[in-house]
Amino acid sequence: MENIKTIAFRGSSDLIGNLQLCIDHISYAIPNIMNSVSGQYNVRCVFEKVENQLTFSDSILGELINQEVLGKVYMNDKSDIRLFSSNGNLPEYRINFDLQGEFNLGVKIFKDKPVQTLPVIDVLPIPVEIVTIYFYFSETKVNEKSDSFIFDKYFDSYDYLGFCLVDLPKMNEIITRKYGNQKLDLIDEFSNTELIDELFEEEIIIITWGIHPYSYPIYSTEDTDSIRPLLGRKFSQEGCFRIKEDIKELSLIPGYALRKWPEFTQKEWTKISLYGKGEIVHLTPYILEDSEFETVSVSFLIHRSKGDLKESIPLLNVNLLYE
């Protein structure tokens, strides 16, 4: 989208606290957030020319920790917009934006973190939490109660077994019919029997397996064009699945939980809605990179489409952090 630009980098709370936006040699410091952040973060800076209302609602970006209207700025085709850190710990970023006229410059700052982290992720030398700094340029007063677009979002941690989305009642029916009340390790069953193929044939399951352990936000929306500026570039692989169109939502289950059937069916799992029309559901990873094309964060996007898919294609054995 031409009205939205996104940059990303990793940095400490000290770097974030010293960020400044410079417009034609006038510097604007971001609001104080030092009481809300500490340690290392994946940082996402979003710049938007607002026409009617903000594209992104607060709930898609995380916990709002500060906001401020920085003032009025006059822009023309020669205006120079740069982001830098006054402590010198960040390369200077130039933001190429076509802005003409007088604008209100505002900023909203968010912190987002996974529901939980796993021991295998705690030892990683990279952060998992995301700080989003949302700069907006508006010629009129911004509607703070943005309806945004319809989406679901869930941010959590997963090990190498990834996660699956499944119609749990129908899965229970199929497995009980096949195995009775037997306790099972479904990872073993998926690997050594035809069970996973049967679930694919029933069009009730989405699965990714063999991913790098990390914390991944998962988004689902029909409005893929609006959300993509937040996510970065599309990964080279995606999963495509046949899912019955009358299935409107699926339970999101971490792969490691599949080792304990049927115990995990007793838990109330988060449900993700499937938006759009069609029997094909795409599970697409997106990578947000820094100026040197190093991965800063990875997200998954789920959406439906129409078309002809002969069989489901799971997303298997992909290294999303170090492509």
Side-chain angles (χ1 to χ4, degrees), residues 46-112:
V46 181
F47 303 82
E48 179 176 15
K49 177 186 176 183
V50 179
E51 295 187 350
N52 296 310
Q53 62 182 23
L54 298 174
T55 296
F56 305 114
S57 61
D58 292 0
S59 56
I60 202 170
L61 299 175
E63 174 195 356
L64 179 65
I65 57 177
N66 210 337
Q67 63 181 325
E68 189 175 312
V69 176
L70 300 179
K72 290 186 178 291
V73 294
Y74 182 80
M75 312 288 293
N76 58 47
D77 57 1
K78 295 181 181 179
S79 289
D80 186 41
I81 308 173
R82 297 175 187 268
L83 182 73
F84 68 96
S85 178
S86 59
N87 64 11
N89 291 334
L90 180 73
E92 190 173 79
Y93 286 86
R94 183 171 183 176
I95 315 303
N96 296 315
F97 236 166
D98 182 17
L99 298 171
Q100 298 278 341
E102 187 179 62
F103 294 87
N104 298 300
L105 171 61
V107 61
K108 304 179 77 171
I109 306 172
F110 301 84
K111 183 171 68 173
D112 205 6

Side-chain angles (χ1 to χ4, degrees), residues 32-251:
N32 184 6
I33 57 172
M34 298 310 292
N35 292 333
S36 303
V37 298
S38 62
Q40 297 286 323
Y41 293 90
N42 301 312
V43 183
R44 174 175 57 190
C45 295
V46 181
F47 303 82
E48 179 176 15
K49 177 186 176 183
V50 179
E51 295 187 350
N52 296 310
Q53 62 182 23
L54 298 174
T55 296
F56 305 114
S57 61
D58 292 0
S59 56
I60 202 170
L61 299 175
E63 174 195 356
L64 179 65
I65 57 177
N66 210 337
Q67 63 181 325
E68 189 175 312
V69 176
L70 300 179
K72 290 186 178 291
V73 294
Y74 182 80
M75 312 288 293
N76 58 47
D77 57 1
K78 295 181 181 179
S79 289
D80 186 41
I81 308 173
R82 297 175 187 268
L83 182 73
F84 68 96
S85 178
S86 59
N87 64 11
N89 291 334
L90 180 73
E92 190 173 79
Y93 286 86
R94 183 171 183 176
I95 315 303
N96 296 315
F97 236 166
D98 182 17
L99 298 171
Q100 298 278 341
E102 187 179 62
F103 294 87
N104 298 300
L105 171 61
V107 61
K108 304 179 77 171
I109 306 172
F110 301 84
K111 183 171 68 173
D112 205 6
K113 61 182 181 180
V115 173
Q116 65 172 343
T117 57
L118 304 175
V120 68
I121 294 168
D122 286 336
V123 301
L124 291 177
I126 53 177
V128 298
E129 295 186 5
I130 301 171
V131 167
T132 298
I133 305 172
Y134 188 7
F135 295 99
Y136 57 87
F137 300 82
S138 176
E139 294 180 280
T140 59
K141 185 178 179 180
V142 171
N143 179 7
E144 290 292 340
K145 295 182 179 179
S146 170
D147 294 329
S148 185
F149 45 87
I150 297 173
F151 68 92
D152 281 10
K153 172 196 168 190
Y154 191 71
F155 187 11
D156 208 355
S157 301
Y158 304 95
D159 65 10
Y160 70 96
L161 293 174
F163 57 86
C164 71
L165 295 106
V166 65
D167 185 321
L168 204 49
K170 292 183 180 178
M171 182 188 198
N172 196 0
E173 179 184 325
I174 292 166
I175 294 178
T176 300
R177 185 170 63 242
K178 186 178 181 71
Y179 295 94
N181 295 321
Q182 184 177 350
K183 291 187 176 182
L184 300 169
D185 181 336
L186 291 186
I187 299 300
D188 285 346
E189 297 302 315
F190 287 174
S191 301
N192 299 304
T193 74
E194 296 181 352
L195 177 59
I196 188 63
D197 294 321
E198 294 176 30
L199 297 176
F200 283 147
E201 288 174 6
E202 292 293 327
E203 302 180 6
I204 63 167
I205 192 168
I206 294 169
I207 191 165
T208 181
W209 198 355
I211 64 175
H212 198 291
Y214 196 53
S215 297
Y216 303 102
I218 299 171
Y219 303 89
S220 179
T221 184
E222 184 177 10
D223 195 347
T224 57
D225 288 339
S226 291
I227 199 172
R228 280 182 185 132
L230 280 183
L231 310 185
R233 70 172 176 86
K234 186 177 179 181
F235 189 67
S236 55
Q237 295 170 252
E238 72 170 0
C240 294
F241 304 85
R242 293 174 56 186
I243 301 294
K244 293 176 180 177
E245 198 162 6
D246 62 354
I247 295 178
K248 302 302 181 184
E249 62 180 17
L250 297 173
S251 296

